[in-house]
Amino acid sequence: MSRTRSEAARVFGLTVALGAWLAGIPFGLASAGEEKAGKVLCGFNSEDEKNLLQWGDTVKAELVTDHVTEGEKAAKISFSAGKQFAGLGMCGDLLARWGDYDYFAFDVFNPNEGSSDIFIRMDDEQSKPGDYSTQYGGMFRAFPGANHFEIKTKRMPNQVQPWLQRKLDPNKLKVFALWLSPAPEKDTVLYFDNFSLWNNPRVVLPNAM
């Protein structure tokens, strides 16, 4: 056998052996003990849980068993026509240590024929009222049917020239507000569920590699 053929056979043998070795090693997602996989902030499964959030006077929220994505219930939220900045908010412990996770997620079911634009604003300790360059602002379009939205916690740009200005500190958040923008022209119902924090899967390679 020529040297070239011999080397090719040796490389092929090593490749097969390596593949068989890796197949027997449980590498892939990190175990739950190695990192925090997820944390539910509000699943709307009880009145106490719903009351963890702040609700605007012109918004009505009730717990229902329709369009559930976590637990046994979801929130049916009615937004009043013509009411600007009417929605819900989170503060205090619900905003603690978001930087320990990769993204914030929530689910929305839109039972209507048309889409609804959901605006989310967040402030951290350095944000100033009325100064959009210090606040996070994100628009999310809820199309008819089921929608899943995610916000990367370590990439929360402010509303003005995000490529030039600072990003919000996910471990120092103090305000989270959600409303429909523009204000709905007619009373609008959306279903919300599973406000939660998650980590992306981590690939754990063998030490020998």
Side-chain angles (χ1 to χ4, degrees):
M1 181 182 292
S2 66
R3 180 178 180 183
T4 301
R5 293 181 60 187
S6 176
E7 290 179 350
R10 181 166 59 86
V11 171
F12 176 77
L14 289 173
T15 302
V16 172
L18 178 61
W21 178 59
L22 292 177
I25 294 178
F27 83 95
L29 302 185
S31 66
E34 294 173 344
E35 67 171 342
K36 300 175 182 178
K39 175 183 179 181
V40 177
L41 299 173
C42 184
F44 302 101
N45 293 306
S46 68
E47 288 294 330
D48 287 341
E49 194 171 1
K50 186 191 76 173
N51 291 336
L52 292 174
L53 276 62
Q54 300 171 320
W55 300 94
D57 294 338
T58 59
V59 171
K60 178 183 177 182
E62 56 182 313
L63 302 181
V64 297
T65 56
D66 302 320
H67 311 301
V68 174
T69 59
E70 188 279 332
E72 298 179 351
K73 295 181 180 179
K76 178 182 178 182
I77 303 179
S78 301
F79 297 85
S80 298
K83 300 299 182 181
Q84 185 71 7
F85 310 120
L88 59 91
M90 291 191 290
C91 63
D93 292 342
L94 292 179
L95 298 180
R97 303 299 305 179
W98 279 31
D100 293 346
Y101 298 88
D102 292 321
Y103 62 94
F104 165 77
F106 64 103
D107 300 317
V108 178
F109 186 89
N110 181 359
N112 310 298
E113 294 183 356
S115 62
S116 291
D117 289 337
I118 299 169
F119 187 82
I120 291 179
R121 168 190 159 184
M122 283 187 271
D123 294 9
D124 65 5
E125 290 184 350
Q126 297 184 51
S127 298
K128 301 176 183 178
D131 186 351
Y132 299 131
S133 68
T134 65
Q135 304 168 356
Y136 167 85
M139 187 75 76
F140 303 86
R141 178 156 294 177
F143 292 98
N147 300 264
H148 175 78
F149 300 111
E150 297 178 358
I151 298 174
K152 294 181 179 179
T153 57
K154 298 174 178 62
R155 298 181 182 179
M156 292 193 293
N158 62 76
Q159 299 185 49
V160 180
Q161 297 178 323
W163 57 92
L164 296 176
Q165 310 278 346
R166 72 176 185 89
K167 295 179 176 61
L168 270 68
D169 187 337
N171 285 325
K172 295 182 179 179
L173 299 179
K174 63 178 184 179
V175 171
F176 174 103
L178 179 156
W179 62 83
L180 300 190
S181 181
E185 296 179 355
K186 59 181 180 179
D187 291 351
T188 300
V189 171
L190 296 174
Y191 295 80
F192 286 75
D193 201 5
N194 200 16
F195 283 34
S196 52
L197 297 167
W198 296 94
N199 273 313
N200 294 319
R202 299 292 195 269
V203 175
V204 181
L205 296 175
N207 292 332
M209 295 185 65

